[in-house]
Amino acid sequence: MHAKPAPTAVVADDERLMRDQIIGALKDAWPELVIAGEAGNGREAVAMVQSLEPDIVFLDINMPEMDGLKAAKALAGQVHVVFVTAYDQYAVSAFDQGAVDYLLKPVEAERVALTCQRLRERLQQKPDPMNDLLDRLSQRLGSGGPGGGLRPREYMRWVQASVGATIRMIPTSDILFLRAEDKYTRVQTETFEALIRKPIKELIEELDPKEFWQIHRATVVRVDAIAQVSRNLRGNQVVHLKGRDDKLEVSRTFSHLFKQM
């Protein structure tokens, strides 16, 4: 009796770091899944799926040259599709009656595990042709213009914080990291630190996942501020910031962000 071949997948996203995040989370949730290829846009994804014939394709909805919806239409019925999106619940509510799953950016380990569980079951059936779902998504997201004509979520661009007796308006581009401290969240910039009352859990929902990564339940760091990542004596990953002595520990939940280490 021949062993059943391992399931295979292609991951398509125009952001390399986001592809790394998705692949790292998939490896944790479904070690048997083989990542057969990575694509940077919809055209590459279609060609790769038709060439490699994977079981599953993870498609970012908003990609250059050909968006994820057009790529899905080209591949309908040939492969099991999971959409990856940074759009809010209004947009993804179109998935509710569909047999196709989705992941919201930034991807969360629990959601990836649930998606993998559903995919294991769906692999027993033929891929869904997705006709109704793709029509609903196209109407909901307004696909059709350059780059798909999609409207991404508006992310926070500044925070209002207390510095001593004054209120400062801090652009998010100035923030190095955010850390939960008692009832407050510490906002650290290159020149000063401030306190805000909004918890990390709410802040991460409002920050652009391409700019900020949560690396611990209590810590969020701006990706551009990271100089390197090392391991401490306990074997845990530690983020070092450019030009600073701060060392930010990475919890196991978020270790897939730096999977190459």
Side-chain angles (χ1 to χ4, degrees), residues 35 58 66 77 86 99 102 104 118 120 152 176 200 203 205 207-208 223 258:
I35 305 301
F58 292 82
M66 176 188 278
Y102 68 93
L104 274 179
R118 290 173 176 171
R120 287 188 187 95
L176 301 178
I200 290 287
L203 282 166
E205 293 293 323
L207 292 167
D208 189 335
V223 180
F258 310 101

Side-chain angles (χ1 to χ4, degrees), residues 61-63 67 70 87 138 140-152:
I61 285 184
N62 196 12
M63 289 187 289
D67 67 43
K70 293 190 180 80
Y87 302 99
S138 294
R140 189 70 61 89
L141 295 170
S143 179
L150 306 177
R151 292 175 298 173

Side-chain angles (χ1 to χ4, degrees), residues 175-177 190 211 221-228 239-243:
I175 297 172
L176 301 178
F177 65 87
E190 285 189 11
E211 295 179 24
V221 64
R222 200 176 92 244
V223 180
D224 285 350
I226 297 174
Q228 64 183 45
V239 166
H240 302 255
L241 301 178
K242 295 173 183 174

Side-chain angles (χ1 to χ4, degrees), residues 158-169:
W158 49 266
V159 296
Q160 184 174 300
S162 301
V163 181
T166 63
I167 299 293
R168 292 282 294 266
M169 304 299 286

Side-chain angles (χ1 to χ4, degrees), residues 23 46 59 113 130 133 173 246:
I23 291 168
V46 171
L59 286 173
M130 305 180 289
L133 172 66
S173 56
D246 304 271

